[in-house]
Amino acid sequence: MKAVRIHQFGGPEVLTYEDVPDPQPRKDEVLVRVRACSLNHLDVWVRKGLPGVKLPHILGSDVAGEIVDVGEYVAAFQTGAFKTGQRVLLAPMHFCGHCAKCLAGLQNECREFTVLGNAVDGGNCELIAVPAANVVPIPDSLDFNQAASVPLVFVTAWHMLVTRAAIRPGQTVLVLGASSGVGIAAIQIAKLFQCRVITTAGDETKLEKARALGADFGINHYQQKISDEVRKITSKAGVDIVVEHVGAATWDESVKSLKSSGTLVTCGATTGPEVKIDLRHLFARQLSLLGSYMGTMADLHEVLGHVFAGRLKPVLDRTFPLKDLRAAHEYLEKSRMFGKVVVNP
Ligand SMILES: [Zn+2]
């Protein structure tokens, strides 16, 4: 098959479109023909070099496609639930499936947990073999590009807001980075809970698109000070929840934007991982600072239910052919997009 692999870590130039052997699925796996694979910032981190990545390596976490073949054990136990030609998306997680954490439904705490395309080969290729548990049929209402735009960012935002921060109707939520995949998902999930949403972006066009998704207030983070604007919007109260993934560049403003006993939940550090925290603010204002990593299979199935029913919508920015993955990475790193960048084999 054709795939884009990296043989060394580095810039977009290390992405190489080439022939590789077809994957040989195990008896408990399903073989899927990749029709669309969306990019995430994780692709850039892996390309630049992360521990645990074995070379050569295939990137790509978010896959939608069609079933080509179903392993003998899958066919035996699923009693025909999976058929050749069925349209599916793939859960972007890799886990052992039999440890105490996995059996408790806490797959993202499994010692073997990793993201598809991180420590295991991903979907920037024509064929991929994954365990049956990762395969989710999709409705006709979603095309492959839309379906590939869903899994990683929606499961991440759901786990952050619902499972970790325990969002409640009527709260005020600050979502950093409206144009990012996690931002787009978090805005919509917070609105699903009838919350008031404040979001940030770098230009008016992006803020307008965020308002179209339901955001009630937009802050231009290049021209306005986030915490000052939050104080104005909330009549000095601050917000109940901050959805963070930007990191060093926004951390101080995010913490300042919280109300007393507010919760900051973070899943990333795009602008850098080192931040300061004033312990006096943490204890006197009784703040909660929560980490969040991807999500569980239960989170994924729950959020997909809302996506499949049309209550949450994937946002596609543009597509590239798989052979032009370098250009797609360059485009992603310029941060010009609003929504997901998808490659098609
Ligand atoms: Zn496990």
Side-chain angles (χ1 to χ4, degrees), residues 70-252:
V70 179
E72 182 188 333
Y73 297 167
V74 182
F77 292 113
Q78 298 277 335
T79 57
F82 291 139
K83 296 185 288 286
T84 303
Q86 187 161 17
R87 301 168 71 253
V88 298
L89 62 75
L90 302 188
M93 311 86 128
H94 172 90
F95 47 91
C96 83
H98 52 73
C99 71
K101 292 291 189 182
C102 283
L103 293 176
L106 304 169
Q107 291 86 6
N108 58 348
E109 296 180 38
C110 171
R111 289 180 69 162
E112 283 186 27
F113 184 84
T114 186
V115 182
L116 201 64
N118 183 355
V120 295
D121 277 340
N124 288 164
C125 54
E126 291 178 314
L127 292 166
I128 186 169
V130 293
N134 288 66
V135 181
V136 183
I138 56 174
D140 293 341
S141 55
L142 284 186
D143 66 30
F144 289 124
N145 292 334
Q146 291 170 322
S149 299
V150 173
L152 191 146
V153 292
F154 276 88
V155 73
T156 298
W158 189 268
H159 190 69
M160 291 175 85
L161 276 170
V162 182
T163 310
R164 297 292 283 139
I167 189 172
R168 295 173 66 166
Q171 289 186 317
T172 302
V173 179
L174 171 63
V175 176
L176 276 290
S179 61
S180 69
V182 168
I184 285 167
I187 288 168
Q188 295 183 70
I189 292 166
K191 291 311 293 181
L192 191 67
F193 280 80
Q194 300 184 349
C195 289
R196 187 163 63 143
V197 175
I198 306 169
T199 194
T200 76
D203 65 57
E204 190 51 40
T205 312
K206 288 178 175 177
L207 287 174
E208 204 46 57
K209 288 179 178 172
R211 288 188 194 99
L213 285 175
D216 300 282
F217 302 94
I219 299 171
N220 183 325
H221 56 225
Y222 291 132
Q223 292 174 1
Q224 297 170 296
K225 202 163 149 57
I226 294 170
S227 61
D228 287 350
E229 294 304 311
V230 166
R231 278 172 64 83
K232 277 184 213 162
I233 293 164
T234 60
S235 307
K236 298 185 183 173
V239 301
D240 296 280
I241 300 172
V242 177
V243 173
E244 244 296 345
H245 51 98
V246 180
T250 52
W251 180 265
D252 288 344

Side-chain angles (χ1 to χ4, degrees), residues 160 164-166 239-243 258-265 286-290:
M160 291 175 85
R164 297 292 283 139
V239 301
D240 296 280
I241 300 172
V242 177
V243 173
L258 286 169
K259 66 163 63 160
S260 284
S261 78
T263 299
L264 183 156
V265 58
Q286 304 196 70
L287 305 179
S288 297
L289 304 179
L290 304 179

